[in-house]
Amino acid sequence: TTDAMELELDDQETTSRQDGAREYLEEHRIPELLENLVTALVYHRPDDHRAFMINYIENLKKAKEDFKDPPCLFDISNIQSVYGMLDITKRGHITVEQYKEAMKCLGVTKYNSSPAGAELNKITQETFVRELKASLKDAVSTYQP
């Protein structure tokens, strides 16, 4: 029974350490940081991947220190292009369903599900751009808990 008690204590200690590690990673948004870093690596495919990763993290640090937007794969022209593909009839708005689908397709999981115009089922380009930029900024701002 002494061996069984020692094994149980070891299991509890291991679980406690795993919980502590998980909490640390979540608190500091390490999984998001690594996901964004790997995404940028795959997108850019630099010859010197180590220098690229160092530069990426330095740019993230500088953005935090200077209160600027963090590095992001999408710029304003990319976001406007996405909107243009959704508003193929050039009505000047898209539906809430299209808005939500675009967010999901772009990998954005946290976004305003009822942006301006949602009550009329008409999301303008201005609203789409603003909401997507804010959501992307939040997703890549891994230095902000």
Side-chain angles (χ1 to χ4, degrees), residues 33-65:
L33 170 64
L34 294 176
E35 182 180 342
N36 291 334
L37 181 58
V38 170
T39 300
L41 273 169
V42 171
Y43 180 79
H44 293 287
R45 299 179 189 261
D47 291 331
D48 187 347
H49 62 281
R50 286 184 182 95
F52 179 88
M53 289 188 291
I54 290 167
N55 187 48
Y56 183 91
I57 292 171
E58 285 174 348
N59 285 340
L60 195 59
K61 182 181 175 196
K62 186 164 176 39
K64 177 184 177 184
E65 291 168 352

Side-chain angles (χ1 to χ4, degrees), residues 36-135:
N36 291 334
L37 181 58
V38 170
T39 300
L41 273 169
V42 171
Y43 180 79
H44 293 287
R45 299 179 189 261
D47 291 331
D48 187 347
H49 62 281
R50 286 184 182 95
F52 179 88
M53 289 188 291
I54 290 167
N55 187 48
Y56 183 91
I57 292 171
E58 285 174 348
N59 285 340
L60 195 59
K61 182 181 175 196
K62 186 164 176 39
K64 177 184 177 184
E65 291 168 352
D66 296 345
F67 302 99
K68 297 202 174 173
D69 289 344
C72 184
L73 289 178
F74 295 98
D75 63 18
I76 189 73
S77 65
N78 299 131
I79 295 170
Q80 289 171 336
S81 293
V82 169
Y83 184 87
M85 289 187 280
L86 296 170
D87 185 19
I88 56 174
T89 59
K90 307 290 183 230
R91 295 177 298 175
H93 64 271
I94 59 173
T95 66
V96 174
E97 176 84 17
Q98 288 174 302
Y99 164 82
K100 289 180 179 180
E101 227 15 75
M103 293 293 187
K104 288 178 191 171
C105 288
L106 295 170
V108 176
T109 56
K110 296 178 185 174
Y111 60 90
N112 180 359
S113 60
S114 296
E119 67 282 355
L120 301 173
N121 201 28
K122 294 181 178 182
I123 309 299
T124 65
Q125 181 174 7
E126 178 184 337
T127 298
F128 181 79
V129 169
R130 182 181 60 249
E131 295 293 336
L132 183 54
K133 280 178 68 175
S135 298

